[in-house]
Amino acid sequence: MSLNLTSYKRIQTNLFVKVVVPGYQTLTFSDYHKSYTINSTSYTGVGELLSVSNSTSSLRATPEELSISISGIPTGNVSDFVDQKVRGSAVDVHRGFFDATTGELLAISGNPATKFTGVVNNFTVTDDMNDNGQGTLTITFTCTSIIDQLNNKISGRATNPVDQKELYPNDQSMDRVPALAKSNFNFGAPN
């Protein structure tokens, strides 16, 4: 869906990031200068402390990676966060279009627009010390798009007794597979 922004003279865009960490909490933050609620979800405004890498725009869905960095995080919050299963967490990034004069979200269909949907592939925590001995912690999420996940999906299952017993403990249909695996069958060949 395309947004018609031709009637606006001054607009600003801001990114809204949502990371759902299973068993922990949903993290919501934006590069907006204050906290903002969109569709009953409150996003903490971290301003310039949020950095999102560039992404490409194309007419068709393509595999893509995105890096999201948040800096200025208190040490106590990071130690609690690192113990969670962050890899595989769902990530959504939306771009909101605002009236630069009023600072309000434009009331047009499709706003905010989806920029990225995927999962956290990995994350890193870095600690930078300045000359005064004060540290700044930064968490960087490396995210993979849903399209890339679908391209890497492995379907089916192994046909061996071990895997069969995991799914069906009393089934014996795969018990002879190892013995037959290296057999040579000459179907229809003369004796």
Side-chain angles (χ1 to χ4, degrees):
M1 172 185 292
S2 64
L3 299 172
N4 184 0
L5 302 172
T6 57
S7 62
Y8 299 97
K9 295 189 186 286
R10 293 183 55 215
I11 54 174
Q12 73 182 44
T13 64
N14 293 97
L15 298 176
F16 295 86
V17 179
K18 183 178 192 178
V19 180
V20 181
V21 182
Y24 181 58
Q25 63 183 346
T26 299
L27 309 171
T28 55
F29 41 88
S30 76
D31 63 354
Y32 198 54
H33 66 278
K34 63 181 180 178
S35 295
Y36 200 84
T37 301
I38 298 175
N39 298 332
S40 71
T41 302
S42 179
Y43 293 85
T44 303
V46 295
E48 292 183 10
L49 298 176
L50 173 66
S51 169
V52 178
S53 66
N54 292 332
S55 62
T56 57
S57 296
S58 70
L59 294 175
R60 66 170 56 179
T62 55
E64 185 173 13
E65 276 199 358
L66 190 73
S67 293
I68 302 168
S69 297
I70 310 162
S71 55
I73 301 169
T75 308
N77 293 16
V78 172
S79 60
D80 182 38
F81 177 77
V82 171
D83 294 334
Q84 306 305 317
K85 293 182 181 180
V86 179
R87 288 188 187 119
S89 298
V91 176
D92 290 314
V93 180
H94 297 279
R95 180 182 303 275
F97 295 89
F98 290 82
D99 184 327
T101 307
T102 64
E104 290 301 315
L105 191 68
L106 299 177
I108 55 177
S109 179
N111 189 24
T114 301
K115 177 180 170 65
F116 180 85
T117 300
V119 295
V120 175
N121 191 30
N122 203 357
F123 73 97
T124 58
V125 178
T126 56
D127 186 9
D128 296 321
M129 293 290 250
N130 63 15
D131 295 336
N132 299 335
Q134 296 174 336
T136 301
L137 289 173
T138 303
I139 295 179
T140 302
F141 298 102
T142 304
C143 306
T144 305
S145 69
I146 291 295
I147 302 303
D148 202 21
Q149 290 290 314
L150 291 173
N151 286 343
N152 294 330
K153 183 180 181 218
I154 298 171
S155 62
R157 66 179 188 92
T159 53
N160 61 48
V162 176
D163 286 357
Q164 184 71 5
K165 296 290 183 199
E166 284 180 18
L167 297 173
Y168 307 101
N170 297 326
D171 189 8
Q172 299 175 359
S173 62
M174 298 286 178
D175 288 353
R176 293 196 57 223
V177 169
L180 297 173
K182 295 185 182 185
S183 299
N184 186 11
F185 296 100
N186 294 323
F187 293 105
N191 289 352

